[in-house]
PDB file of all heavy atoms in Angstrom:
ATOM      1  N   ALA A 939     -54.528-120.658 -57.137  1.00 91.00           N
ATOM      2  CA  ALA A 939     -55.254-119.711 -57.848  1.00 91.00           C
ATOM      3  C   ALA A 939     -54.381-118.959 -58.852  1.00 91.00           C
ATOM      4  O   ALA A 939     -54.813-118.562 -59.893  1.00 91.00           O
ATOM      5  CB  ALA A 939     -55.773-118.628 -56.890  1.00 91.00           C
ATOM      6  N   MET A 940     -53.084-118.854 -58.595  1.00 89.00           N
ATOM      7  CA  MET A 940     -52.137-118.246 -59.601  1.00 89.00           C
ATOM      8  C   MET A 940     -51.722-119.188 -60.674  1.00 89.00           C
ATOM      9  O   MET A 940     -50.932-118.829 -61.595  1.00 89.00           O
ATOM     10  CB  MET A 940     -50.944-117.628 -58.953  1.00 89.00           C
ATOM     11  CG  MET A 940     -50.057-118.537 -58.344  1.00 89.00           C
ATOM     12  SD  MET A 940     -48.423-117.766 -57.719  1.00 89.00           S
ATOM     13  CE  MET A 940     -47.671-117.129 -59.238  1.00 89.00           C
ATOM     14  N   GLY A 941     -52.201-120.459 -60.610  1.00 89.00           N
ATOM     15  CA  GLY A 941     -51.976-121.470 -61.746  1.00 89.00           C
ATOM     16  C   GLY A 941     -50.719-122.406 -61.416  1.00 89.00           C
ATOM     17  O   GLY A 941     -50.208-123.085 -62.346  1.00 89.00           O
ATOM     18  N   ALA A 942     -50.285-122.443 -60.160  1.00 90.00           N
ATOM     19  CA  ALA A 942     -49.132-123.346 -59.825  1.00 90.00           C
ATOM     20  C   ALA A 942     -49.604-124.741 -59.940  1.00 90.00           C
ATOM     21  O   ALA A 942     -50.596-125.213 -59.516  1.00 90.00           O
ATOM     22  CB  ALA A 942     -48.652-122.999 -58.374  1.00 90.00           C
ATOM     23  N   MET A 943     -48.658-125.532 -60.433  1.00 86.00           N
ATOM     24  CA  MET A 943     -48.871-126.999 -60.598  1.00 86.00           C
ATOM     25  C   MET A 943     -48.573-127.744 -59.298  1.00 86.00           C
ATOM     26  O   MET A 943     -47.519-127.543 -58.708  1.00 86.00           O
ATOM     27  CB  MET A 943     -47.910-127.576 -61.690  1.00 86.00           C
ATOM     28  CG  MET A 943     -48.311-127.236 -63.080  1.00 86.00           C
ATOM     29  SD  MET A 943     -49.653-128.271 -63.684  1.00 86.00           S
ATOM     30  CE  MET A 943     -48.811-129.824 -63.670  1.00 86.00           C
ATOM     31  N   ALA A 944     -49.561-128.382 -58.864  1.00 83.00           N
ATOM     32  CA  ALA A 944     -49.314-129.240 -57.567  1.00 83.00           C
ATOM     33  C   ALA A 944     -49.283-130.733 -57.958  1.00 83.00           C
ATOM     34  O   ALA A 944     -50.026-131.177 -58.874  1.00 83.00           O
ATOM     35  CB  ALA A 944     -50.456-129.091 -56.617  1.00 83.00           C
ATOM     36  N   LEU A 945     -48.413-131.532 -57.433  1.00 76.00           N
ATOM     37  CA  LEU A 945     -48.278-132.946 -57.795  1.00 76.00           C
ATOM     38  C   LEU A 945     -49.373-133.730 -57.249  1.00 76.00           C
ATOM     39  O   LEU A 945     -49.642-133.643 -56.048  1.00 76.00           O
ATOM     40  CB  LEU A 945     -46.936-133.387 -57.348  1.00 76.00           C
ATOM     41  CG  LEU A 945     -45.611-132.701 -57.981  1.00 76.00           C
ATOM     42  CD1 LEU A 945     -44.401-133.368 -57.427  1.00 76.00           C
ATOM     43  CD2 LEU A 945     -45.692-132.676 -59.454  1.00 76.00           C
ATOM     44  N   PHE A 946     -49.957-134.599 -58.055  1.00 63.00           N
ATOM     45  CA  PHE A 946     -51.073-135.457 -57.560  1.00 63.00           C
ATOM     46  C   PHE A 946     -50.463-136.435 -56.518  1.00 63.00           C
ATOM     47  O   PHE A 946     -49.565-137.017 -56.678  1.00 63.00           O
ATOM     48  CB  PHE A 946     -51.621-136.273 -58.763  1.00 63.00           C
ATOM     49  CG  PHE A 946     -52.732-137.207 -58.414  1.00 63.00           C
ATOM     50  CD1 PHE A 946     -54.073-136.781 -58.120  1.00 63.00           C
ATOM     51  CD2 PHE A 946     -52.504-138.550 -58.232  1.00 63.00           C
ATOM     52  CE1 PHE A 946     -55.107-137.461 -57.736  1.00 63.00           C
ATOM     53  CE2 PHE A 946     -53.476-139.374 -57.870  1.00 63.00           C
ATOM     54  CZ  PHE A 946     -54.790-138.876 -57.606  1.00 63.00           C
ATOM     55  N   GLY A 947     -51.227-136.605 -55.400  1.00 65.00           N
ATOM     56  CA  GLY A 947     -50.881-137.542 -54.433  1.00 65.00           C
ATOM     57  C   GLY A 947     -49.946-136.936 -53.341  1.00 65.00           C
ATOM     58  O   GLY A 947     -49.730-137.416 -52.310  1.00 65.00           O
ATOM     59  N   GLU A 948     -49.394-135.707 -53.619  1.00 74.00           N
ATOM     60  CA  GLU A 948     -48.505-135.019 -52.627  1.00 74.00           C
ATOM     61  C   GLU A 948     -49.393-134.269 -51.556  1.00 74.00           C
ATOM     62  O   GLU A 948     -50.449-133.828 -51.882  1.00 74.00           O
ATOM     63  CB  GLU A 948     -47.538-133.998 -53.270  1.00 74.00           C
ATOM     64  CG  GLU A 948     -46.514-134.674 -54.141  1.00 74.00           C
ATOM     65  CD  GLU A 948     -45.290-135.182 -53.234  1.00 74.00           C
ATOM     66  OE1 GLU A 948     -45.209-134.724 -52.146  1.00 74.00           O
ATOM     67  OE2 GLU A 948     -44.666-136.071 -53.649  1.00 74.00           O
ATOM     68  N   LYS A 949     -48.863-134.225 -50.325  1.00 82.00           N
ATOM     69  CA  LYS A 949     -49.518-133.470 -49.288  1.00 82.00           C
ATOM     70  C   LYS A 949     -48.847-132.217 -48.989  1.00 82.00           C
ATOM     71  O   LYS A 949     -47.620-132.121 -48.944  1.00 82.00           O
ATOM     72  CB  LYS A 949     -49.606-134.352 -47.948  1.00 82.00           C
ATOM     73  CG  LYS A 949     -50.389-135.595 -48.073  1.00 82.00           C
ATOM     74  CD  LYS A 949     -50.419-136.385 -46.782  1.00 82.00           C
ATOM     75  CE  LYS A 949     -51.363-137.534 -46.950  1.00 82.00           C
ATOM     76  NZ  LYS A 949     -51.529-138.416 -45.615  1.00 82.00           N
ATOM     77  N   TYR A 950     -49.508-131.173 -49.012  1.00 84.00           N
ATOM     78  CA  TYR A 950     -48.993-129.823 -48.779  1.00 84.00           C
ATOM     79  C   TYR A 950     -49.620-129.154 -47.599  1.00 84.00           C
ATOM     80  O   TYR A 950     -50.749-129.380 -47.255  1.00 84.00           O
ATOM     81  CB  TYR A 950     -49.346-128.933 -50.071  1.00 84.00           C
ATOM     82  CG  TYR A 950     -48.710-129.363 -51.375  1.00 84.00           C
ATOM     83  CD1 TYR A 950     -49.466-130.130 -52.213  1.00 84.00           C
ATOM     84  CD2 TYR A 950     -47.341-129.046 -51.649  1.00 84.00           C
ATOM     85  CE1 TYR A 950     -48.877-130.651 -53.360  1.00 84.00           C
ATOM     86  CE2 TYR A 950     -46.852-129.553 -52.810  1.00 84.00           C
ATOM     87  CZ  TYR A 950     -47.621-130.373 -53.725  1.00 84.00           C
ATOM     88  OH  TYR A 950     -47.027-130.723 -54.863  1.00 84.00           O
ATOM     89  N   GLY A 951     -48.797-128.338 -46.941  1.00 88.00           N
ATOM     90  CA  GLY A 951     -49.205-127.570 -45.797  1.00 88.00           C
ATOM     91  C   GLY A 951     -50.020-126.324 -46.133  1.00 88.00           C
ATOM     92  O   GLY A 951     -50.246-126.104 -47.409  1.00 88.00           O
ATOM     93  N   ASP A 952     -50.251-125.508 -45.158  1.00 90.00           N
ATOM     94  CA  ASP A 952     -51.107-124.326 -45.426  1.00 90.00           C
ATOM     95  C   ASP A 952     -50.293-123.222 -46.251  1.00 90.00           C
ATOM     96  O   ASP A 952     -50.789-122.528 -47.015  1.00 90.00           O
ATOM     97  CB  ASP A 952     -51.597-123.711 -44.154  1.00 90.00           C
ATOM     98  CG  ASP A 952     -52.555-124.630 -43.444  1.00 90.00           C
ATOM     99  OD1 ASP A 952     -53.279-125.439 -44.129  1.00 90.00           O
ATOM    100  OD2 ASP A 952     -52.731-124.585 -42.232  1.00 90.00           O
ATOM    101  N   VAL A 953     -48.993-123.303 -45.924  1.00 93.00           N
ATOM    102  CA  VAL A 953     -48.041-122.421 -46.639  1.00 93.00           C
ATOM    103  C   VAL A 953     -47.137-123.123 -47.488  1.00 93.00           C
ATOM    104  O   VAL A 953     -46.561-124.104 -47.037  1.00 93.00           O
ATOM    105  CB  VAL A 953     -47.261-121.502 -45.650  1.00 93.00           C
ATOM    106  CG1 VAL A 953     -46.251-120.594 -46.361  1.00 93.00           C
ATOM    107  CG2 VAL A 953     -48.196-120.705 -44.798  1.00 93.00           C
ATOM    108  N   VAL A 954     -46.981-122.790 -48.738  1.00 94.00           N
ATOM    109  CA  VAL A 954     -46.180-123.485 -49.754  1.00 94.00           C
ATOM    110  C   VAL A 954     -45.225-122.551 -50.465  1.00 94.00           C
ATOM    111  O   VAL A 954     -45.299-121.370 -50.423  1.00 94.00           O
ATOM    112  CB  VAL A 954     -47.123-124.203 -50.856  1.00 94.00           C
ATOM    113  CG1 VAL A 954     -47.922-125.256 -50.236  1.00 94.00           C
ATOM    114  CG2 VAL A 954     -47.974-123.067 -51.569  1.00 94.00           C
ATOM    115  N   ARG A 955     -44.236-123.228 -51.030  1.00 95.00           N
ATOM    116  CA  ARG A 955     -43.153-122.381 -51.770  1.00 95.00           C
ATOM    117  C   ARG A 955     -43.498-122.604 -53.275  1.00 95.00           C
ATOM    118  O   ARG A 955     -43.671-123.740 -53.773  1.00 95.00           O
ATOM    119  CB  ARG A 955     -41.790-122.921 -51.446  1.00 95.00           C
ATOM    120  CG  ARG A 955     -40.651-122.128 -52.129  1.00 95.00           C
ATOM    121  CD  ARG A 955     -39.353-122.700 -51.558  1.00 95.00           C
ATOM    122  NE  ARG A 955     -38.169-122.051 -52.016  1.00 95.00           N
ATOM    123  CZ  ARG A 955     -37.323-122.579 -52.938  1.00 95.00           C
ATOM    124  NH1 ARG A 955     -37.546-123.894 -53.364  1.00 95.00           N
ATOM    125  NH2 ARG A 955     -36.316-121.938 -53.306  1.00 95.00           N
ATOM    126  N   VAL A 956     -43.502-121.512 -54.032  1.00 95.00           N
ATOM    127  CA  VAL A 956     -43.841-121.490 -55.378  1.00 95.00           C
ATOM    128  C   VAL A 956     -42.610-121.168 -56.144  1.00 95.00           C
ATOM    129  O   VAL A 956     -41.865-120.187 -55.863  1.00 95.00           O
ATOM    130  CB  VAL A 956     -44.946-120.526 -55.784  1.00 95.00           C
ATOM    131  CG1 VAL A 956     -45.123-120.499 -57.296  1.00 95.00           C
ATOM    132  CG2 VAL A 956     -46.222-120.893 -55.122  1.00 95.00           C
ATOM    133  N   VAL A 957     -42.115-121.936 -57.176  1.00 96.00           N
ATOM    134  CA  VAL A 957     -40.957-121.680 -57.963  1.00 96.00           C
ATOM    135  C   VAL A 957     -41.562-121.334 -59.447  1.00 96.00           C
ATOM    136  O   VAL A 957     -42.321-122.138 -59.983  1.00 96.00           O
ATOM    137  CB  VAL A 957     -40.102-122.943 -58.166  1.00 96.00           C
ATOM    138  CG1 VAL A 957     -38.946-122.574 -59.035  1.00 96.00           C
ATOM    139  CG2 VAL A 957     -39.554-123.263 -56.764  1.00 96.00           C
ATOM    140  N   ASN A 958     -41.282-120.160 -59.838  1.00 96.00           N
ATOM    141  CA  ASN A 958     -41.858-119.620 -61.029  1.00 96.00           C
ATOM    142  C   ASN A 958     -40.856-119.153 -62.090  1.00 96.00           C
ATOM    143  O   ASN A 958     -39.977-118.385 -61.727  1.00 96.00           O
ATOM    144  CB  ASN A 958     -42.739-118.454 -60.683  1.00 96.00           C
ATOM    145  CG  ASN A 958     -43.537-117.868 -61.869  1.00 96.00           C
ATOM    146  OD1 ASN A 958     -43.968-118.549 -62.685  1.00 96.00           O
ATOM    147  ND2 ASN A 958     -43.548-116.389 -61.874  1.00 96.00           N
ATOM    148  N   VAL A 959     -40.987-119.661 -63.277  1.00 97.00           N
ATOM    149  CA  VAL A 959     -40.286-119.182 -64.378  1.00 97.00           C
ATOM    150  C   VAL A 959     -41.298-118.460 -65.280  1.00 97.00           C
ATOM    151  O   VAL A 959     -42.051-119.065 -65.914  1.00 97.00           O
ATOM    152  CB  VAL A 959     -39.638-120.333 -65.306  1.00 97.00           C
ATOM    153  CG1 VAL A 959     -38.841-119.735 -66.405  1.00 97.00           C
ATOM    154  CG2 VAL A 959     -38.739-121.245 -64.436  1.00 97.00           C
ATOM    155  N   PRO A 960     -41.268-117.121 -65.067  1.00 96.00           N
ATOM    156  CA  PRO A 960     -42.529-116.332 -65.621  1.00 96.00           C
ATOM    157  C   PRO A 960     -42.770-116.613 -67.028  1.00 96.00           C
ATOM    158  O   PRO A 960     -41.888-116.669 -67.898  1.00 96.00           O
ATOM    159  CB  PRO A 960     -41.877-114.840 -65.465  1.00 96.00           C
ATOM    160  CG  PRO A 960     -40.962-114.860 -64.341  1.00 96.00           C
ATOM    161  CD  PRO A 960     -40.270-116.261 -64.435  1.00 96.00           C
ATOM    162  N   GLY A 961     -44.012-116.851 -67.276  1.00 94.00           N
ATOM    163  CA  GLY A 961     -44.543-117.090 -68.585  1.00 94.00           C
ATOM    164  C   GLY A 961     -44.319-118.423 -69.153  1.00 94.00           C
ATOM    165  O   GLY A 961     -44.759-118.830 -70.227  1.00 94.00           O
ATOM    166  N   PHE A 962     -43.776-119.332 -68.271  1.00 96.00           N
ATOM    167  CA  PHE A 962     -43.467-120.701 -68.874  1.00 96.00           C
ATOM    168  C   PHE A 962     -43.753-121.815 -67.888  1.00 96.00           C
ATOM    169  O   PHE A 962     -44.398-122.782 -68.106  1.00 96.00           O
ATOM    170  CB  PHE A 962     -41.997-120.817 -69.108  1.00 96.00           C
ATOM    171  CG  PHE A 962     -41.654-122.031 -70.047  1.00 96.00           C
ATOM    172  CD1 PHE A 962     -41.975-122.015 -71.456  1.00 96.00           C
ATOM    173  CD2 PHE A 962     -41.112-123.085 -69.510  1.00 96.00           C
ATOM    174  CE1 PHE A 962     -41.640-123.000 -72.202  1.00 96.00           C
ATOM    175  CE2 PHE A 962     -40.846-124.257 -70.304  1.00 96.00           C
ATOM    176  CZ  PHE A 962     -41.113-124.221 -71.718  1.00 96.00           C
ATOM    177  N   SER A 963     -43.300-121.667 -66.540  1.00 96.00           N
ATOM    178  CA  SER A 963     -43.581-122.791 -65.607  1.00 96.00           C
ATOM    179  C   SER A 963     -43.802-122.156 -64.216  1.00 96.00           C
ATOM    180  O   SER A 963     -43.038-121.308 -63.733  1.00 96.00           O
ATOM    181  CB  SER A 963     -42.309-123.627 -65.561  1.00 96.00           C
ATOM    182  OG  SER A 963     -42.282-124.514 -64.395  1.00 96.00           O
ATOM    183  N   THR A 964     -44.793-122.682 -63.539  1.00 95.00           N
ATOM    184  CA  THR A 964     -45.057-122.391 -62.162  1.00 95.00           C
ATOM    185  C   THR A 964     -45.441-123.610 -61.435  1.00 95.00           C
ATOM    186  O   THR A 964     -46.484-124.300 -61.669  1.00 95.00           O
ATOM    187  CB  THR A 964     -46.298-121.317 -62.069  1.00 95.00           C
ATOM    188  OG1 THR A 964     -45.943-120.189 -62.887  1.00 95.00           O
ATOM    189  CG2 THR A 964     -46.443-120.825 -60.557  1.00 95.00           C
ATOM    190  N   GLU A 965     -44.658-124.000 -60.463  1.00 94.00           N
ATOM    191  CA  GLU A 965     -44.904-125.228 -59.657  1.00 94.00           C
ATOM    192  C   GLU A 965     -44.591-125.120 -58.155  1.00 94.00           C
ATOM    193  O   GLU A 965     -43.848-124.150 -57.769  1.00 94.00           O
ATOM    194  CB  GLU A 965     -43.966-126.358 -60.139  1.00 94.00           C
ATOM    195  CG  GLU A 965     -44.186-126.831 -61.644  1.00 94.00           C
ATOM    196  CD  GLU A 965     -43.508-128.221 -61.868  1.00 94.00           C
ATOM    197  OE1 GLU A 965     -43.277-128.975 -60.934  1.00 94.00           O
ATOM    198  OE2 GLU A 965     -43.157-128.362 -63.038  1.00 94.00           O
ATOM    199  N   LEU A 966     -45.289-125.896 -57.459  1.00 94.00           N
ATOM    200  CA  LEU A 966     -44.966-125.889 -55.913  1.00 94.00           C
ATOM    201  C   LEU A 966     -43.784-126.746 -55.761  1.00 94.00           C
ATOM    202  O   LEU A 966     -43.720-127.845 -56.183  1.00 94.00           O
ATOM    203  CB  LEU A 966     -46.172-126.513 -55.232  1.00 94.00           C
ATOM    204  CG  LEU A 966     -47.639-125.874 -55.357  1.00 94.00           C
ATOM    205  CD1 LEU A 966     -48.605-126.526 -54.471  1.00 94.00           C
ATOM    206  CD2 LEU A 966     -47.475-124.428 -55.144  1.00 94.00           C
ATOM    207  N   CYS A 967     -42.772-126.190 -55.102  1.00 92.00           N
ATOM    208  CA  CYS A 967     -41.478-127.003 -54.912  1.00 92.00           C
ATOM    209  C   CYS A 967     -40.682-126.377 -53.833  1.00 92.00           C
ATOM    210  O   CYS A 967     -40.560-125.185 -53.678  1.00 92.00           O
ATOM    211  CB  CYS A 967     -40.768-126.978 -56.194  1.00 92.00           C
ATOM    212  SG  CYS A 967     -39.246-128.040 -56.168  1.00 92.00           S
ATOM    213  N   GLY A 968     -40.093-127.281 -53.031  1.00 90.00           N
ATOM    214  CA  GLY A 968     -39.235-126.775 -51.862  1.00 90.00           C
ATOM    215  C   GLY A 968     -37.770-127.054 -52.145  1.00 90.00           C
ATOM    216  O   GLY A 968     -36.902-126.888 -51.279  1.00 90.00           O
ATOM    217  N   GLY A 969     -37.447-127.501 -53.396  1.00 92.00           N
ATOM    218  CA  GLY A 969     -36.006-127.886 -53.676  1.00 92.00           C
ATOM    219  C   GLY A 969     -35.196-126.710 -54.120  1.00 92.00           C
ATOM    220  O   GLY A 969     -35.563-125.576 -54.253  1.00 92.00           O
ATOM    221  N   THR A 970     -33.853-127.040 -54.415  1.00 94.00           N
ATOM    222  CA  THR A 970     -32.943-126.056 -54.757  1.00 94.00           C
ATOM    223  C   THR A 970     -32.939-125.825 -56.215  1.00 94.00           C
ATOM    224  O   THR A 970     -33.155-126.781 -57.043  1.00 94.00           O
ATOM    225  CB  THR A 970     -31.415-126.516 -54.386  1.00 94.00           C
ATOM    226  OG1 THR A 970     -30.512-125.492 -54.641  1.00 94.00           O
ATOM    227  CG2 THR A 970     -31.033-127.813 -55.036  1.00 94.00           C
ATOM    228  N   HIS A 971     -32.832-124.509 -56.718  1.00 97.00           N
ATOM    229  CA  HIS A 971     -32.912-124.199 -58.053  1.00 97.00           C
ATOM    230  C   HIS A 971     -31.862-123.145 -58.477  1.00 97.00           C
ATOM    231  O   HIS A 971     -31.337-122.439 -57.614  1.00 97.00           O
ATOM    232  CB  HIS A 971     -34.271-123.660 -58.364  1.00 97.00           C
ATOM    233  CG  HIS A 971     -35.358-124.719 -58.314  1.00 97.00           C
ATOM    234  ND1 HIS A 971     -35.740-125.495 -59.457  1.00 97.00           N
ATOM    235  CD2 HIS A 971     -36.185-125.105 -57.299  1.00 97.00           C
ATOM    236  CE1 HIS A 971     -36.626-126.243 -59.106  1.00 97.00           C
ATOM    237  NE2 HIS A 971     -36.929-126.169 -57.789  1.00 97.00           N
ATOM    238  N   VAL A 972     -31.641-122.889 -59.829  1.00 97.00           N
ATOM    239  CA  VAL A 972     -30.827-121.875 -60.265  1.00 97.00           C
ATOM    240  C   VAL A 972     -31.582-120.547 -60.059  1.00 97.00           C
ATOM    241  O   VAL A 972     -32.747-120.478 -59.866  1.00 97.00           O
ATOM    242  CB  VAL A 972     -30.547-122.060 -61.754  1.00 97.00           C
ATOM    243  CG1 VAL A 972     -29.708-123.306 -61.969  1.00 97.00           C
ATOM    244  CG2 VAL A 972     -31.739-122.009 -62.599  1.00 97.00           C
ATOM    245  N   ARG A 973     -30.784-119.446 -60.083  1.00 97.00           N
ATOM    246  CA  ARG A 973     -31.455-118.166 -59.910  1.00 97.00           C
ATOM    247  C   ARG A 973     -31.873-117.576 -61.282  1.00 97.00           C
ATOM    248  O   ARG A 973     -32.680-116.710 -61.299  1.00 97.00           O
ATOM    249  CB  ARG A 973     -30.537-117.224 -59.179  1.00 97.00           C
ATOM    250  CG  ARG A 973     -30.182-117.667 -57.700  1.00 97.00           C
ATOM    251  CD  ARG A 973     -31.352-117.799 -56.859  1.00 97.00           C
ATOM    252  NE  ARG A 973     -30.907-118.273 -55.537  1.00 97.00           N
ATOM    253  CZ  ARG A 973     -30.901-119.558 -55.096  1.00 97.00           C
ATOM    254  NH1 ARG A 973     -31.136-120.547 -55.979  1.00 97.00           N
ATOM    255  NH2 ARG A 973     -30.589-119.889 -53.948  1.00 97.00           N
ATOM    256  N   ASN A 974     -31.258-118.035 -62.282  1.00 98.00           N
ATOM    257  CA  ASN A 974     -31.596-117.502 -63.601  1.00 98.00           C
ATOM    258  C   ASN A 974     -31.491-118.707 -64.605  1.00 98.00           C
ATOM    259  O   ASN A 974     -30.492-119.536 -64.417  1.00 98.00           O
ATOM    260  CB  ASN A 974     -30.702-116.434 -64.112  1.00 98.00           C
ATOM    261  CG  ASN A 974     -31.007-115.835 -65.418  1.00 98.00           C
ATOM    262  OD1 ASN A 974     -30.778-116.426 -66.480  1.00 98.00           O
ATOM    263  ND2 ASN A 974     -31.553-114.707 -65.365  1.00 98.00           N
ATOM    264  N   THR A 975     -32.389-118.974 -65.564  1.00 98.00           N
ATOM    265  CA  THR A 975     -32.368-120.091 -66.330  1.00 98.00           C
ATOM    266  C   THR A 975     -31.104-120.210 -67.225  1.00 98.00           C
ATOM    267  O   THR A 975     -30.631-121.332 -67.600  1.00 98.00           O
ATOM    268  CB  THR A 975     -33.558-120.061 -67.411  1.00 98.00           C
ATOM    269  OG1 THR A 975     -33.491-118.921 -68.164  1.00 98.00           O
ATOM    270  CG2 THR A 975     -34.894-120.131 -66.598  1.00 98.00           C
TER     271      THR A 975
END
């Protein structure tokens, strides 16, 4: 609902992790990321 991109063919549970770069990118992802771009 908040516009997160979900990968086609991937299976997700009821609770997901959202990685958001405000105003640019919002995706469902459980991986490791930087804290600031």
Side-chain angles (χ1 to χ4, degrees):
M940 70 175 290
M943 287 281 294
L945 300 184
F946 179 78
E948 287 286 336
K949 293 182 179 180
Y950 295 96
D952 294 334
V953 177
V954 293
R955 181 172 182 254
V956 177
V957 178
N958 182 39
V959 180
F962 196 80
S963 167
T964 306
E965 291 193 31
L966 305 183
C967 184
T970 184
H971 289 273
V972 298
R973 300 302 180 267
N974 185 287
T975 58

